[in-house]
Amino acid sequence: MAIVVQKYGGSSVATPEKIKNVAKWVIKKKLEGNDVVVVISAMGDTTDELIDLAKKITEHPDKRELDALLATGEMVSSALLAMAIKSLGYDAISMNAFQIELLTDGTYGKSLIEDINERAILDRLKEGKIVVVAGFQGITEDGDITTLGRGGSDTTAVAIAAKLKGECQIFTDVDGIYSVDPRIYREAKKIDEISYEEMLELSSLGAQVMHSRSVELAQKFNIPIYVALSCSDIKGTYIREVEIVEQKPITGIAVSDSDVAITLQNIEYDTNLLSDIFEAVASKKINVDMISQTAPIHNKVNLSFTIPKDDLRDCLDVIKPYYKKDEIIIDEDITKFSVVGLGMKTTSGVASRIFKLFKQNDIEVKMITTSEIRITCAIKQQDKMKAVGLVAKEFNL
Ligand code: ADP
Ligand code: ASP
Ligand code: MG
């Protein structure tokens, strides 16, 4: 029997009615002759509410205890879905990270998955059960609970599909992947299929529709991901290896307000210092994205880089030895605006078209970074919608 791993996101299981509806669609898949594993997110805004609750106790909750708290969201939804399936007369079992032995590297709040005991799941499937797995959570070798980062249930689903060599379907509140988040640009177009490479860039640059680590895993194990609207037959989007026939220069736009730019002014022009600073940042597993440095004047430079806002406190702690108090500027008013497309490898002039549009429309670019298939600009948050509209129209997205 084919194994299908389906993942339902928070909005798809936000109410008991929605959970009962998901149960019907899961059963439908089972009745089509598949072994079904369902990965489930916490109901609705549960995770946000749990974070708010923790912040009512203390502004900076202990990371271990925060993970222990957040993991409860998926425990609730997985038990409820298994109950709903059973109440409709089909056998099901909820399983948490301990029960499937989903081992992580132990980083609280953004763990990487190291292994899963596939036998634990396969044995239940063999008994004819629909297995409902609590997404987003993992355990360490010492039995601590860790979580995979916001949106991490996608990664639970892909990791299980990879282990079980099954199909992977991600069901959410949008009917596929669009060229731009349809919530911020209503005329965005739906994409039938998108390459792993492009989706990985888009999701790591702010397209929250997929957890970026899930796309990375899917690419590594060559698992196609089907993304579609929950409880519907509307055709969605495949994320997979794509044959390039005729390629537009840009496939999509992603924006993110969740980064902060740190500038260290007038620091020594010294590669050792640079190396020490970024080593300190890396020691906290903080992802640095954009980096720029001014030309040296009297052997002094300004160094700027962006990191996720959530990591600001940790970052300031570890870089403290490398600057004086009046040398640092923290700019929270940035939007990372990115265009992504495999077509950029072979098309020239994309950057010039974008910068011309920005110039004509008074959009200030604070920092730039590029790869073969993306261009990212840090702009002011107030210019975000204008930039999205202009570039989407220019490139017919
Ligand atoms: P879930 O709770 O199902 O995991 P998410 O909220 O994480 O759902 O992801 C779905 C949301 O992702 C959509 O509602 C949409 O607004 C947003 N999104 C961002 N970028 C895109 C995109 N390029 N295509 C489709 N949806 C996108
Ligand atoms: N419940 C978690 C979150 O809200 C994980 C997920 O939904 O994928 O981030
Ligand atoms: Mg999500």
Side-chain angles (χ1 to χ4, degrees):
M1 240 194 273
I3 296 178
V4 179
V5 180
Q6 297 193 324
K7 179 254 168 177
Y8 290 87
S11 52
S12 315
V13 291
T15 62
E17 274 58 48
K18 287 187 167 186
I19 291 179
K20 288 192 221 173
N21 199 26
V22 165
K24 287 186 196 145
W25 282 80
V26 169
I27 290 167
K28 189 171 159 224
K29 201 74 203 169
K30 171 86 181 158
L31 292 176
E32 285 168 12
N34 301 290
D35 276 332
V36 183
V37 180
V38 189
V39 173
I40 201 89
S41 290
M43 292 171 72
D45 297 327
T46 301
T47 310
D48 290 324
E49 287 159 12
L50 290 170
I51 292 172
D52 289 347
L53 191 60
K55 293 220 163 144
K56 285 196 179 125
I57 298 286
T58 163
E59 185 46 34
H60 301 293
D62 177 83
K63 290 185 172 176
R64 178 186 186 277
E65 304 312 328
L66 185 62
D67 270 6
L69 178 70
L70 297 191
T72 62
E74 275 71 11
M75 303 284 288
V76 172
S77 54
S78 55
L80 289 174
L81 180 61
M83 249 179 237
I85 296 169
K86 284 179 157 180
S87 74
L88 293 171
Y90 293 84
D91 203 4
I93 183 168
S94 65
M95 299 187 85
N96 61 30
F98 284 96
Q99 291 161 324
I100 64 165
E101 294 170 45
L102 190 150
L103 280 184
T104 69
D105 67 348
T107 318
Y108 298 117
K110 49 179 170 186
S111 272
L112 301 179
I113 298 177
E114 289 190 335
D115 204 5
I116 295 170
N117 178 7
E118 72 266 38
R119 272 267 58 92
I121 301 175
L122 287 170
D123 287 349
R124 307 301 180 162
L125 290 176
K126 216 187 258 168
E127 293 163 11
K129 293 182 166 63
I130 293 170
V131 177
V132 183
V133 175
F136 178 55
Q137 55 181 256
I139 52 166
T140 66
E141 297 238 341
D142 302 332
D144 262 1
I145 297 173
T146 64
T147 62
L148 309 181
R150 298 306 306 269
S153 300
D154 298 333
T155 301
T156 311
V158 173
I160 291 175
K163 260 293 193 193
L164 303 184
K165 301 190 174 53
E167 239 183 87
C168 185
Q169 306 180 328
I170 303 286
F171 291 112
T172 179
D173 62 357
V174 58
D175 61 359
I177 309 288
Y178 281 73
S179 52
V180 191
D181 182 347
R183 267 191 238 180
I184 60 168
Y185 182 63
R186 285 173 58 182
E187 291 111 282
K189 299 185 179 70
K190 187 151 86 179
I191 301 169
D192 290 336
E193 57 171 3
I194 183 167
S195 67
Y196 293 120
E197 232 179 324
E198 288 169 313
M199 193 64 233
L200 184 55
E201 290 277 15
L202 286 172
S203 54
S204 54
L205 293 164
Q208 62 153 17
V209 61
M210 291 299 299
H211 192 232
S212 59
R213 177 76 185 144
S214 72
V215 184
E216 211 177 314
L217 273 186
Q219 180 173 28
K220 183 168 169 198
F221 294 100
N222 201 14
I223 305 278
I225 306 175
Y226 179 65
V227 182
L229 185 64
S230 293
C231 308
S232 118
D233 286 319
I234 300 173
K235 198 167 161 277
T237 301
Y238 278 97
I239 305 169
R240 60 186 171 203
E241 218 54 78
V242 173
E243 290 255 347
I244 304 170
V245 188
E246 190 204 348
Q247 190 76 45
K248 290 160 83 171
I250 294 178
T251 303
I253 295 176
V255 287
S256 165
D257 295 337
S258 52
D259 281 34
V260 51
I262 298 177
T263 300
L264 302 179
Q265 290 179 302
N266 267 319
I267 57 169
E268 283 309 307
Y269 177 49
D270 175 1
T271 316
N272 289 327
L273 177 62
L274 213 57
S275 148
D276 288 349
I277 291 173
F278 288 111
E279 206 175 299
V281 177
S283 73
K284 284 281 176 185
K285 300 212 159 109
I286 297 170
N287 267 333
V288 176
D289 183 24
M290 313 178 85
I291 302 177
S292 71
Q293 186 182 275
T294 53
I297 300 175
H298 306 304
N299 222 35
K300 298 274 183 169
V301 291
N302 290 352
L303 170 70
S304 302
F305 56 94
T306 62
I307 56 160
K309 277 187 182 141
D310 288 347
D311 291 325
L312 180 60
R313 194 163 168 262
D314 277 353
C315 183
L316 294 181
D317 271 355
V318 290
I319 63 172
K320 214 179 260 160
Y322 307 107
Y323 66 90
K324 295 192 198 79
K325 218 171 166 205
D326 53 350
E327 284 175 349
I328 187 164
I329 298 174
I330 296 166
D331 184 359
E332 301 211 34
D333 174 29
I334 60 161
T335 287
K336 266 189 351 191
F337 173 94
S338 306
V339 294
V340 170
L342 281 180
M344 264 191 268
K345 282 187 186 177
T346 49
T347 318
S348 55
V350 176
S352 85
R353 279 165 75 185
I354 292 173
F355 293 136
K356 192 166 165 202
L357 276 178
F358 283 4
K359 188 187 79 184
Q360 286 165 344
N361 292 278
D362 292 327
I363 297 174
E364 181 196 337
V365 177
K366 301 185 184 196
M367 242 190 274
I368 304 167
T369 179
T370 63
S371 81
E372 225 184 354
I373 67 161
R374 71 137 158 165
I375 300 169
T376 300
C377 304
I379 59 175
K380 287 185 188 157
Q381 284 181 9
Q382 67 189 44
D383 290 333
K384 173 170 69 177
M385 299 307 248
K386 188 159 77 170
V388 167
L390 287 166
V391 176
K393 284 205 175 65
E394 169 78 12
F395 290 92
N396 192 24
L397 299 175

